[in-house]
């Protein structure tokens, strides 16, 4: 189960939460400014955890049964989402680790402390989601999901801790609203429109000097399609999995003279790259 919507909500919250002080209406420092950075971190973790559980009760049937465990499989075509949900878990844990670490730095944790605690916070939140799944008749605790949560946390720690590597590599998610097929009200499980990719950025390599080439990226991505249609019509099996390689534009670099934002290091805009797609399973 992919939880990017929660991550997206958290992105907006944390991006606006440069809260060394919270001011009152008269402009004087508020009560939050008296908290220690450790207390602020604890409050943040409790708040995000509560939001995750609230979303789970509202959308993922938490409390409907369990506890139960299930073997969801890995990337076999016959799995429920063809493996897309596993990459969703990896990406979400990766994103959470950076969201937490960024906020911890704003609260005066040093860089190493920020990502260390950010990684632990991410593992805690994504682990909480799996515990919630254990009490859902719709899902169940999946050790495959938890493994990919852990891999995502490890990737987040590595790319935050090694700036030279993060100059070269991004992990991203793409949501394309123009993909054909029925829409889901919960975009966190709308795998018909979700893709996951690694972007290798030319600007991170010093031997590339041409300014036009430095604005390009190499994408390596994965998609699973037609799984929703199969769940509705199992007599018509059009489930397909794709790998693709693409040449894209580095939007962060191109927009940097106008707005310096990390958003496009995490989210891939549709139609900003040329993909070369290879179908790895399913009917022609």
């Amino acid at each position: 189960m992919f939880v990017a919507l929660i991550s997206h909500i958290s992105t907006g919250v944390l991006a606006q939460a440069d809260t060394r002080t919270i001011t009152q209406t008269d402009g004087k420092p508020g009560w939050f400014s008296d908290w220690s950075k450790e207390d602020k971190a604890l409050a943040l973790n409790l708040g995000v955890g509560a939001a995750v559980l609230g979303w789970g009760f509202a959308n993922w049937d938490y409390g409907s049964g369990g506890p139960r465990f299930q073997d969801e499989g890995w990337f076999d075509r016959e799995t429920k989402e063809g493996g897309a949900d596993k990459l969703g878990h990896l990406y979400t844990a990766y994103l959470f680790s950076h969201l937490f670490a960024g906020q911890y730095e704003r609260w005066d944790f040093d860089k190493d402390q920020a990502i260390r605690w950010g990684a632990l916070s991410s593992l805690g939140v994504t682990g909480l989601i799996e515990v919630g799944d254990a009490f859902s008749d719709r899902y169940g605790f999946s050790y495959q999901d938890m493994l990919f949560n852990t891999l995502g946390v490890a990737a987040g720690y590595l790319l935050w801790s090694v700036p030279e590597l993060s100059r070269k590599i991004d992990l991203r998610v793409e949501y394309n609203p123009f993909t054909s097929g029925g829409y889901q009200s919960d975009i966190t499980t709308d795998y018909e429109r979700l893709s996951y990719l690694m972007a290798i950025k030319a600007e991170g390599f010093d031997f590339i000097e041409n300014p036009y080439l430095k604005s390009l990226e190499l994408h390596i991505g994965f998609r699973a399609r037609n799984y929703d249609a199969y769940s509705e019509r199992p007599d018509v099996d059009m489930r397909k999995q794709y790998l693709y390689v693409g040449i894209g534009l580095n939007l962060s670099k191109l927009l940097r003279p106008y707005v310096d934002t990390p958003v496009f290091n995490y989210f891939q805009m549709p139609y900003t790259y040329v993909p070369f797609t290879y179908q790895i399973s399913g009917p022609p």
Side-chain angles (χ1 to χ4, degrees):
M1 176 175 42
F2 177 65
V3 291
L5 180 59
I6 297 173
S7 299
H8 177 68
I9 294 170
S10 300
T11 303
V13 171
L14 297 185
Q16 298 176 37
D18 190 359
T19 50
R20 296 179 188 273
T21 61
I22 292 180
T23 57
Q24 299 171 340
T25 55
D26 60 3
K28 296 179 181 179
W31 54 269
F32 195 70
S33 63
D34 296 328
W35 288 25
S36 70
K37 61 185 181 183
E38 291 81 9
D39 287 340
K40 293 176 183 177
L42 176 60
L44 177 63
N45 279 267
L46 292 175
V48 173
V52 164
L53 290 178
W55 184 268
F57 279 104
N59 296 277
W60 297 331
D61 298 332
Y62 284 7
S64 60
R68 70 186 187 91
F69 297 80
Q70 65 177 2
D71 182 354
E72 292 186 345
W74 302 97
F75 284 84
D76 295 339
R77 177 173 173 264
E78 290 74 21
T79 58
K80 185 176 180 180
E81 302 294 349
D85 55 327
K86 301 298 170 280
L87 293 183
H89 277 270
L90 186 152
Y91 171 79
T92 299
Y94 166 78
L95 179 60
F96 263 132
S97 69
H98 284 194
L99 288 171
F100 277 111
Q103 188 58 49
Y104 293 157
E105 280 198 2
R106 286 189 282 271
W107 285 334
D108 291 330
F109 287 87
D110 66 39
K111 187 178 180 68
D112 291 339
Q113 285 181 316
I115 189 54
R116 184 165 60 249
W117 289 111
L120 290 173
S121 294
S122 176
L123 192 62
V125 169
T126 54
L128 180 63
I129 293 169
E130 285 307 311
V131 171
D133 286 353
F135 292 89
S136 168
D137 283 338
R138 182 178 172 187
Y139 295 107
F141 186 100
S142 164
Y143 69 86
Q144 291 98 338
D145 288 348
M146 197 63 216
L147 174 60
F148 274 85
N149 290 339
T150 305
L151 292 175
V153 168
Y157 185 91
L158 180 64
L159 290 180
W160 189 279
S161 301
V162 186
E164 190 59 28
L165 189 60
S166 63
R167 285 181 61 216
K168 298 177 173 65
I169 295 175
D170 289 340
L171 300 184
R172 300 178 189 163
V173 64
E174 175 189 344
Y175 182 83
N176 188 344
F178 303 107
T179 302
S180 62
Y183 286 86
Q184 291 195 26
S185 57
D186 180 2
I187 67 170
T188 68
T189 57
D190 195 353
Y191 295 108
E192 288 299 305
R193 293 169 178 81
L194 290 166
S195 302
Y196 305 94
L197 65 139
M198 177 175 66
I200 303 173
K201 303 176 286 188
E203 74 165 335
F205 297 88
D206 294 334
F207 68 86
I208 299 176
E209 298 180 354
N210 184 288
Y212 297 104
L213 291 179
K214 276 188 169 292
S215 297
L216 298 180
E217 306 172 331
L218 175 67
H219 295 174
I220 303 172
F222 176 85
R223 297 174 177 139
R225 296 292 184 258
N226 301 325
Y227 279 75
D228 288 343
Y230 177 76
S231 65
E232 297 172 359
R233 289 284 308 277
D235 57 316
V236 181
D237 188 356
M238 295 298 293
R239 293 174 294 176
K240 298 180 181 181
Q241 296 167 301
Y242 299 94
L243 289 176
Y244 68 91
V245 176
I247 302 297
L249 297 174
N250 185 336
L251 294 182
S252 293
K253 175 177 172 54
L254 293 172
L255 294 174
R256 199 171 295 140
Y258 311 101
V259 55
D260 190 4
T261 174
V263 169
F264 297 112
N265 294 335
Y266 299 93
F267 298 95
Q268 180 63 43
M269 288 290 291
Y271 309 116
T272 58
Y273 61 96
V274 178
F276 302 90
T277 304
Y278 174 70
Q279 182 177 327
I280 59 176
S281 74

